[in-house]
Amino acid sequence: MAGTSEESINTRTAGHREPSRPSTGQQVFLAELAAGLRAGQVADDEETLTVYSVDQGPLLERHLPLAVVWAESVEDVQHIVRSCAAHQVPIVARGAGTGVSGGAHATQGCIVLGLERMNRILDLNPDDETAVVEPGVINADLNTAAAEHGLMYAPDPASYKMSTIGGNVATNAGGLRCAKYGVTRDSVLALDVVMADGSLMHTGHQTFKGVAGYDLTALLVGSEGTLGIVVGVTVRLKYLPREIHTIAAFYQDFRSAAAGVLAVGKARVQPAIMELLDNGTLVQLDELNGGDLQKRGKSLLLIQTDGFGAAAEADVVRQVLADRGATVTTEASEEAEMLVELRRNSRGVEVDDEFRVGEDIAVPRSRLVDFVAELEAMAARFQVRLKVVAHAGDGNLHPTFWMDRVDPATDADALQRLNAALDESIRVGLEMGGTITGEHGVGQYKLRWLGLEQPEPVRELQRRIKELFDPQGILNPGKAI
Amino acid sequence: MAGTSEESINTRTAGHREPSRPSTGQQVFLAELAAGLRAGQVADDEETLTVYSVDQGPLLERHLPLAVVWAESVEDVQHIVRSCAAHQVPIVARGAGTGVSGGAHATQGCIVLGLERMNRILDLNPDDETAVVEPGVINADLNTAAAEHGLMYAPDPASYKMSTIGGNVATNAGGLRCAKYGVTRDSVLALDVVMADGSLMHTGHQTFKGVAGYDLTALLVGSEGTLGIVVGVTVRLKYLPREIHTIAAFYQDFRSAAAGVLAVGKARVQPAIMELLDNGTLVQLDELNGGDLQKRGKSLLLIQTDGFGAAAEADVVRQVLADRGATVTTEASEEAEMLVELRRNSRGVEVDDEFRVGEDIAVPRSRLVDFVAELEAMAARFQVRLKVVAHAGDGNLHPTFWMDRVDPATDADALQRLNAALDESIRVGLEMGGTITGEHGVGQYKLRWLGLEQPEPVRELQRRIKELFDPQGILNPGKAI
């Protein structure tokens, strides 16, 4: 499962279930499962089970899987699914485990199906501008292969160096350059899917356009492994831009930076990347990298234009932002590019020594400034600290409420205040016409808010679609819907 | 229902059912229906029934609807659907009736639900870059309104001056500029849908990105009124390009022109429009417009670049095409722009005095040249004439096999030869990894080929989704899947 890094929570307090010995029925199942696979494809040692029991999402209660099973072929996946179907064993499919909503967390009595070994690029056709890949191919590896032909796979979650295409598909992953190039769904043409009964189905088309029948492909993208196991992905590639210009604009406050995003929009320039970083994020980046960003402003808007019009677009952007009070880099954009890399690779740099809760709210672009103002007010009200990064071109914000590590004994309500701020941010985001998840997926962690966004009939329809695809409910139960 | 114009068939030979008097049950239904509507919202005179019994698709057998009913509000649609549900009366929803696959053809005992009066743009937010429209809004009207803010609604089927957004959504309509800007699905963020039981459902999100739950919006887009009646559409707008460059490249044969499409791709330039016209099309355009296109070449590749990089991209395109033997316009692009307008507005210019069968095949781009060669061979083999226009950037071809009007008495096998060529083109297109419909939809006409593209389990899954949404099967039965 893939996503970006901004959501996190201190999980050390989450419950931990000790593994129990498999029951006789489970032993029969595990024997059947192993009988169809090679040695080394199944593990049930506690260390492995523990590592594979969670993705990078917040954990409410830890379950250890019965086993971790690595598929190496479509046939393996079919065998595994059939074995699980015969014994009603839940299957949690997993790519690199970089998801941040708990979509790949193990559930009671499940197996974790690791797809990272199915990592071949089966075809890359530069004339068709398409590629066919196994689900375990790393996003960055596909991009490296495509770049040789002047092509790119556009969706670029911050986890792109680690996350898999299969995981990106499962979560309909977004990323930095989606404002211009679209999200994962917009790049997926066709899927090979192992259904809940072990049968193999092909959906979609190898062509850029195709409208035969219902769009099962789009239904499967973002379904977080609850409707089928994706074992093959046909993607459309885009042209690797030959020219890229990067602009760093510093502001004295975050709201002005957010207003800059709308000003660029009003100039009708479509940047590839528009990232917004607040003061808290600049401070953190300085701490980690020894820079002086916080001296240059209280907020940073990073914009990248690309393609044949990149220089002209960058000129317009610089002018528009400078006119509205930003301090804009006029030098060569090397430093700005370095900042984009810092932003891109921020995964894993979260400071461990703190309490924090993070989100993935998207709001209509016009509400960006208002929403940021509300977030700042909430942080003050709940006496917690705030840092925000945003894929601002999409109105997609990743606010994190946090505080320095506190002793639960002396500040018992710390986590409570963090969670209250989090809930409030969700409520206000929805009130502004937003969504609880712009790109990370509902997974397990966000189910509690889904009812605030989607009324019961919409949720019931999804449950019935799930039943249609997976009558026994063995595919990643308790996730996504 | 919207689409483009290239598919057509001589329909005068299709069967015509005389209207029969409504049964007592039908009379009760019609009375109930009318009781909830204003005068002028229901018609059952034969002329109206006849006009509304078909869209612009080929007709196999004509059925007259029981009535034509025009909804003027969401509540009207709910009343109409509830009345139909209570009496198991099929509902064929219809926008402007410009579809070319028979998706809006009346079926036995149905009503036709006209949505053209629901034509208000409910909201157009230039900061959010979104619009909310009723289904009957004409595509061009939305574009006119958006243009005032420097925005555009990108999907542009050739019927854009007539077709409705609701119809575009129903067929997931394509158009000329989708290679760069995507198809209808890529511009639709959210839908308001009246379900088969008359309830109102909202799917999707007002934000550019959103991954909460399954993508019901994408499932509904392209479902041709078989899963629900779309009564509201939230679309994302794109930036109206300030600069456009248009290039006309003439070739001595069609295959070289098709190869030019790949050459532009290899130069990694993404034009907004890439239209390919063969000799037959040039001859027809000359006949209709008094031009001399056919003297300038046997095939024409029309390319439009747009945006800040338009001039630089056009330079590369001209160079690439000229290097490979095309005669490229070097003058100002006015004439080329006029040619694009001719191509855009080719709807309705089909010569009535001929037999013809047309298609909407898409193939992977690398097979474009091969497929064109195969089409030419088929035309020769079946002794029929061929003309082809193609949205070549997408690999989406609209070949038409035709012959001058013949007397069925003396050339009995004329239609048979045309249909044999048509079937063969479908078979070969599929063999090349193509689809039977790139953008027009399956409707009623293409059901006979759907089984060649999609195996039975994929079709069965779609039937079960249909049953889930519409247990009584009253929503546009016998279409799309």
Side-chain angles (χ1 to χ4, degrees):
Chain A
M1 304 289 151
T4 60
S5 67
E6 294 76 9
E7 264 169 297
S8 191
I9 193 169
N10 187 299
T11 56
R12 278 163 295 188
T13 54
H16 185 145
R17 292 236 175 144
E18 290 305 314
S20 51
R21 284 190 60 80
S23 67
T24 313
Q26 287 169 339
Q27 283 171 357
V28 171
F29 158 72
L30 289 169
E32 264 184 45
L33 190 69
L37 299 169
R38 288 190 308 99
Q41 288 191 266
V42 185
D44 62 0
D45 61 290
E46 192 180 344
E47 189 186 336
T48 305
L49 297 185
T50 303
V51 169
Y52 278 79
S53 66
V54 289
D55 62 22
Q56 296 185 13
L59 184 65
L60 305 171
E61 186 181 30
R62 186 188 293 268
H63 294 282
L64 290 194
L66 292 178
V68 179
V69 189
W70 290 274
E72 296 175 0
S73 66
V74 172
E75 292 71 27
D76 282 353
V77 175
Q78 291 184 283
H79 164 70
I80 294 161
V81 171
R82 286 191 182 118
S83 301
C84 289
H87 295 269
Q88 283 106 55
V89 172
I91 305 169
V92 177
R94 177 186 168 105
T98 58
V100 288
S101 298
H105 282 349
T107 51
Q108 183 82 48
C110 77
I111 63 147
V112 169
L113 169 55
L115 292 157
E116 67 258 48
R117 294 185 190 171
M118 291 181 67
N119 63 355
R120 289 177 303 163
I121 296 173
L122 299 174
D123 185 42
L124 199 162
N125 187 318
D127 282 335
D128 288 345
E129 299 162 13
T130 58
V132 182
V133 303
E134 291 185 328
V137 168
I138 304 292
N139 181 306
D141 291 345
L142 175 56
N143 267 299
T144 302
E148 285 174 32
H149 305 281
L151 297 166
M152 67 175 180
Y153 174 66
D156 60 340
S159 60
Y160 75 106
K161 287 186 182 168
M162 294 173 283
S163 65
T164 63
I165 300 296
N168 295 170
V169 167
T171 56
N172 190 14
L176 275 67
R177 59 194 176 202
C178 346
K180 179 168 181 175
Y181 291 102
V183 294
T184 298
R185 190 197 67 170
D186 302 307
S187 283
V188 174
L189 299 175
L191 292 173
D192 298 297
V193 185
V194 172
M195 308 299 284
D197 63 357
S199 64
L200 180 65
M201 187 169 280
H202 183 78
T203 70
H205 38 86
Q206 308 306 114
T207 50
F208 286 175
K209 290 197 302 197
V211 292
Y214 300 151
D215 195 342
L216 299 176
T217 306
L219 184 63
L220 286 158
V221 173
S223 66
E224 306 193 46
T226 63
L227 299 179
I229 310 290
V230 170
V231 293
V233 188
T234 303
V235 298
R236 176 180 176 172
L237 302 170
K238 297 285 175 75
Y239 300 151
L240 195 64
R242 295 195 184 176
E243 201 170 336
I244 288 178
H245 287 254
T246 310
I247 298 147
F250 285 91
Y251 290 84
Q252 283 317 307
D253 66 282
F254 193 48
R255 283 174 243 180
S256 305
V261 174
L262 293 184
V264 171
K266 272 196 212 303
R268 302 304 180 222
V269 173
Q270 178 64 69
I273 290 177
M274 264 209 275
E275 294 292 307
L276 192 54
L277 289 71
D278 79 340
N279 189 54
T281 307
L282 296 183
V283 170
Q284 192 183 44
L285 284 176
D286 280 347
E287 280 170 11
L288 290 162
N289 304 291
D292 65 343
L293 297 174
Q294 55 194 309
K295 285 189 193 152
R296 300 175 64 185
K298 297 283 185 202
S299 180
L300 169 60
L301 182 57
L302 276 174
I303 294 185
Q304 201 163 78
T305 61
D306 70 8
F308 284 83
E313 289 174 336
D315 285 345
V316 173
V317 169
R318 280 194 200 92
Q319 189 66 49
V320 162
L321 298 183
D323 285 353
R324 298 174 63 99
T327 307
V328 182
T329 49
T330 49
E331 66 269 44
S333 59
E334 267 172 44
E335 191 220 1
E337 273 168 42
M338 187 267 292
L339 290 172
V340 171
E341 277 310 295
L342 280 185
R343 164 69 189 97
R344 253 188 208 288
N345 299 318
S346 60
R347 171 150 280 232
V349 303
E350 300 294 347
V351 181
D352 205 32
D353 201 28
E354 62 185 41
F355 271 12
R356 59 183 184 274
V357 290
E359 253 318 309
D360 170 40
I361 293 165
V363 294
R365 282 167 55 111
S366 67
R367 305 310 302 272
L368 210 47
V369 179
D370 299 339
F371 188 62
V372 166
E374 290 275 359
L375 287 174
E376 291 177 342
M378 280 171 223
R381 195 157 67 250
F382 291 103
Q383 295 172 278
V384 295
R385 296 173 71 180
L386 171 71
K387 61 188 176 200
V388 183
V389 292
H391 307 310
D394 291 320
N396 186 190
L397 300 105
H398 298 306
T400 302
F401 295 108
W402 64 287
M403 46 181 66
D404 293 320
R405 185 145 182 81
V406 288
D407 181 352
T410 57
D411 190 2
D413 68 345
L415 197 56
Q416 206 177 331
R417 295 207 314 275
L418 284 173
N419 278 317
L422 184 63
D423 283 342
E424 179 71 359
S425 72
I426 298 269
R427 194 189 60 74
V428 171
L430 288 172
E431 214 172 75
M432 289 186 178
T435 174
I436 62 169
T437 178
E439 59 178 13
H440 292 174
V442 169
Q444 189 180 62
Y445 183 61
K446 289 181 198 152
L447 279 176
R448 55 177 157 160
W449 296 308
L450 190 56
L452 301 176
E453 178 167 342
Q454 297 183 340
E456 182 53 28
V458 175
R459 296 192 68 185
E460 178 60 17
L461 182 60
Q462 294 174 77
R463 285 183 208 113
R464 294 185 63 194
I465 290 173
K466 161 77 174 166
E467 277 168 28
L468 190 61
F469 278 73
D470 176 23
Q472 293 198 105
I474 59 170
L475 298 176
N476 211 7
K479 309 284 178 66
I481 61 166
Chain B
M1 302 291 150
T4 59
S5 68
E6 293 76 10
E7 264 169 297
S8 190
I9 194 169
N10 188 299
T11 57
R12 277 163 296 191
T13 53
H16 183 146
R17 293 237 173 142
E18 290 305 313
S20 52
R21 284 190 58 81
S23 67
T24 312
Q26 287 169 339
Q27 283 172 357
V28 172
F29 158 71
L30 289 170
E32 264 184 44
L33 190 69
L37 300 168
R38 289 188 309 97
Q41 288 191 266
V42 184
D44 61 0
D45 61 289
E46 191 179 343
E47 190 185 334
T48 304
L49 297 185
T50 303
V51 168
Y52 278 79
S53 67
V54 290
D55 61 22
Q56 296 186 14
L59 183 66
L60 304 172
E61 186 182 27
R62 186 188 293 268
H63 294 282
L64 290 193
L66 292 178
V68 179
V69 189
W70 291 275
E72 296 176 359
S73 66
V74 172
E75 293 71 26
D76 283 355
V77 175
Q78 290 184 283
H79 165 70
I80 293 161
V81 171
R82 285 190 181 121
S83 302
C84 288
H87 295 269
Q88 283 106 55
V89 173
I91 305 168
V92 178
R94 178 187 168 104
T98 57
V100 288
S101 299
H105 283 349
T107 50
Q108 182 83 47
C110 77
I111 63 149
V112 169
L113 169 56
L115 293 158
E116 66 259 48
R117 294 184 190 171
M118 291 180 66
N119 62 356
R120 289 177 303 163
I121 297 172
L122 300 175
D123 184 43
L124 198 160
N125 187 319
D127 282 334
D128 287 345
E129 300 161 13
T130 58
V132 181
V133 303
E134 291 185 328
V137 168
I138 305 291
N139 181 306
D141 292 345
L142 175 56
N143 266 299
T144 302
E148 285 175 31
H149 304 281
L151 297 167
M152 67 175 179
Y153 174 66
D156 61 340
S159 61
Y160 76 105
K161 287 186 182 169
M162 295 173 283
S163 66
T164 64
I165 300 295
N168 294 170
V169 168
T171 56
N172 191 11
L176 275 68
R177 57 192 177 203
C178 344
K180 179 167 181 176
Y181 291 104
V183 294
T184 298
R185 189 196 68 171
D186 301 308
S187 284
V188 174
L189 298 175
L191 293 173
D192 298 297
V193 185
V194 173
M195 308 300 284
D197 63 358
S199 64
L200 180 64
M201 188 170 279
H202 183 77
T203 70
H205 38 86
Q206 309 305 114
T207 49
F208 287 175
K209 291 196 303 198
V211 292
Y214 299 151
D215 195 343
L216 299 175
T217 306
L219 184 63
L220 286 156
V221 172
S223 66
E224 306 195 46
T226 63
L227 298 180
I229 310 290
V230 171
V231 293
V233 187
T234 304
V235 298
R236 175 178 178 173
L237 303 170
K238 299 282 175 81
Y239 300 150
L240 195 64
R242 295 195 184 174
E243 201 171 335
I244 288 178
H245 286 255
T246 311
I247 299 147
F250 286 91
Y251 290 84
Q252 284 318 306
D253 66 282
F254 194 48
R255 282 174 246 179
S256 305
V261 174
L262 293 185
V264 171
K266 272 194 213 301
R268 303 302 179 222
V269 172
Q270 179 63 70
I273 291 178
M274 263 209 277
E275 293 293 307
L276 191 55
L277 289 72
D278 79 339
N279 190 52
T281 306
L282 296 182
V283 169
Q284 192 184 44
L285 284 175
D286 280 348
E287 279 170 10
L288 290 161
N289 304 293
D292 65 343
L293 296 175
Q294 55 195 306
K295 285 190 193 152
R296 301 175 63 186
K298 297 283 185 200
S299 181
L300 170 60
L301 181 58
L302 276 173
I303 293 183
Q304 204 165 75
T305 60
D306 70 8
F308 284 83
E313 289 175 335
D315 284 345
V316 173
V317 169
R318 282 196 199 92
Q319 189 65 49
V320 162
L321 298 183
D323 285 352
R324 297 174 64 98
T327 306
V328 182
T329 49
T330 50
E331 68 269 44
S333 60
E334 267 172 45
E335 191 220 2
E337 273 167 41
M338 188 268 292
L339 290 172
V340 171
E341 276 311 294
L342 280 184
R343 165 68 190 97
R344 252 189 207 289
N345 299 317
S346 60
R347 172 150 280 234
V349 303
E350 299 293 347
V351 180
D352 204 32
D353 201 28
E354 61 185 41
F355 273 11
R356 58 180 185 278
V357 289
E359 254 317 310
D360 169 40
I361 293 165
V363 294
R365 283 167 54 114
S366 67
R367 307 310 302 271
L368 209 50
V369 178
D370 299 339
F371 188 62
V372 166
E374 290 276 358
L375 287 173
E376 291 176 341
M378 282 172 221
R381 194 156 69 248
F382 292 103
Q383 295 172 279
V384 295
R385 296 173 68 180
L386 172 71
K387 62 188 175 201
V388 183
V389 292
H391 306 311
D394 292 319
N396 186 192
L397 300 106
H398 298 307
T400 303
F401 295 109
W402 64 288
M403 47 181 66
D404 293 321
R405 185 146 181 82
V406 288
D407 183 352
T410 58
D411 191 0
D413 69 345
L415 197 56
Q416 207 178 329
R417 295 208 313 275
L418 284 173
N419 278 317
L422 185 61
D423 284 341
E424 179 70 359
S425 72
I426 298 269
R427 194 189 60 73
V428 171
L430 287 173
E431 216 171 73
M432 290 186 177
T435 173
I436 62 169
T437 179
E439 60 177 13
H440 291 174
V442 168
Q444 189 179 62
Y445 183 59
K446 288 180 199 155
L447 278 176
R448 56 178 156 157
W449 297 308
L450 190 55
L452 301 176
E453 179 167 342
Q454 297 182 339
E456 182 54 26
V458 175
R459 297 192 67 185
E460 178 60 17
L461 181 60
Q462 294 175 76
R463 284 184 210 111
R464 295 186 63 194
I465 290 174
K466 160 78 173 165
E467 278 167 29
L468 190 61
F469 279 72
D470 175 24
Q472 292 197 104
I474 59 170
L475 298 177
N476 211 8
K479 311 283 177 63
I481 61 167

